[in-house]
Amino acid sequence: DSGVTQTPKHLITATGQRVTLRCSPRSGDLSVYWYQQSLDQGLQFLIQYYNGEERAKGNILERFSAQQFPDLHSELNLSSLELGDSALYFCASSGYGPGQDHYNEQFFGPGTRLTVL
Amino acid sequence: AQSVTQLGSHVSVSEGALVLLRCNYSSSVPPYLFWYVQYPNQGLQLLLKYTSAATLVKGINGFEAEFKKSETSFHLTKPSAHMSDAAEYFCAVILSGAGSYQLTFGKGTKLSVIP
């Protein structure tokens, strides 16, 4: 158990819909990363938050957005869903922060499997 | 830009045989390199990491990897495969810049272990 929790575990929805994926980082970790794993694209970085602020963006579509709340949990919002959005979405957390070891291990959650029908 | 290439999307070995999973990186600066393992229906678990200290890195479950700058490689090895090693393995590099340290992953290599 990595200490990172993600809900829900599975999500089945229809095209055009909007869903929210939730991630709770390990206790004390300020940094949260979101990754998408699909058969076509492999594992791709989407976005990172550090202590409530967006820190970096990767291959994240404009239809997707995220935020990190004061209690450090994060949500990834996916809207106007398309068939191609079906994937496994991972959240990872690390203790990265100013003054800390910048290659702190990222601990991954079990993922949310999204199926768009 | 930094990236990693994993040679072989699927590798099969016999139980007890040597495991060798290949990873080459491209980087203009010394990289931080990682190997992660993903068991079916599970998240990613860190096997080992290279962070510019010792070039031979030992990880969990008997795995190790050697950083070879001249070959831009970071191959993962295990002397004797076990059935429980069957999983997908990902090589990754830190793509650093502007205070972010997100991982850039290879395409993955699925390891099958034949009894």
Side-chain angles (χ1 to χ4, degrees):
Chain A
D1 185 354
S2 67
V4 178
T5 60
Q6 291 187 248
T7 56
K9 191 169 183 177
H10 300 279
L11 197 49
I12 301 174
T13 188
T15 55
Q17 296 298 304
R18 173 189 168 95
V19 297
T20 297
L21 313 183
R22 182 187 169 102
C23 167
S24 293
R26 291 190 319 153
S27 176
D29 281 356
L30 299 178
S31 196
V32 169
Y33 300 78
W34 285 97
Y35 295 87
Q36 179 196 57
Q37 184 178 31
S38 66
L39 288 175
D40 293 341
Q41 302 296 325
L43 264 164
Q44 289 195 102
F45 166 71
L46 295 179
I47 196 164
Q48 180 207 357
Y49 276 79
Y50 170 70
N51 202 20
E53 294 188 0
E54 182 184 303
R55 183 56 61 95
K57 266 186 174 180
N59 297 320
I60 188 166
L61 300 171
E62 285 191 10
R63 300 183 285 107
F64 296 1
S65 65
Q67 54 185 331
Q68 186 179 27
F69 295 86
D71 67 352
L72 300 179
H73 90 272
S74 177
E75 294 181 355
L76 180 66
N77 301 296
L78 316 176
S79 62
S80 302
L81 285 168
E82 302 175 0
L83 296 178
D85 297 328
S86 296
L88 195 52
Y89 291 85
F90 286 111
C91 164
S93 75
S94 78
Y96 165 77
Q100 293 186 359
D101 186 341
H102 61 270
Y103 45 80
N104 274 349
E105 178 181 349
Q106 289 182 32
F107 292 84
F108 282 77
T112 293
R113 183 171 294 282
L114 173 66
T115 302
V116 182
L117 300 175
Chain B
Q2 299 175 65
S3 68
V4 289
T5 303
Q6 291 184 243
L7 300 176
S9 58
H10 196 178
V11 170
S12 292
V13 300
S14 297
E15 191 175 15
L18 171 71
V19 175
L20 171 59
L21 304 182
R22 299 177 187 273
C23 173
N24 287 89
Y25 68 91
S26 63
S27 173
S28 57
V29 296
Y32 299 114
L33 293 160
F34 306 80
W35 275 99
Y36 280 84
V37 61
Q38 184 179 26
Y39 297 101
N41 301 313
Q42 293 189 28
L44 294 158
Q45 181 181 12
L46 180 67
L47 276 178
L48 48 80
K49 65 183 178 186
Y50 168 75
T51 57
S52 73
T55 56
L56 182 62
V57 182
K58 294 188 183 297
I60 62 171
N61 301 338
F63 285 94
E64 63 182 37
E66 186 172 7
F67 174 74
K68 292 187 176 180
K69 186 177 179 180
S70 61
E71 299 177 9
T72 61
S73 69
F74 190 58
H75 302 330
L76 181 70
T77 60
K78 182 174 180 177
S80 176
H82 192 271
M83 295 298 293
S84 61
D85 295 328
E88 190 156 18
Y89 293 79
F90 294 91
C91 184
V93 65
I94 289 261
L95 183 64
S96 62
S100 177
Y101 296 95
Q102 67 265 29
L103 292 159
T104 298
F105 288 92
K107 295 289 188 185
T109 297
K110 191 165 287 186
L111 175 66
S112 299
V113 181
I114 305 165

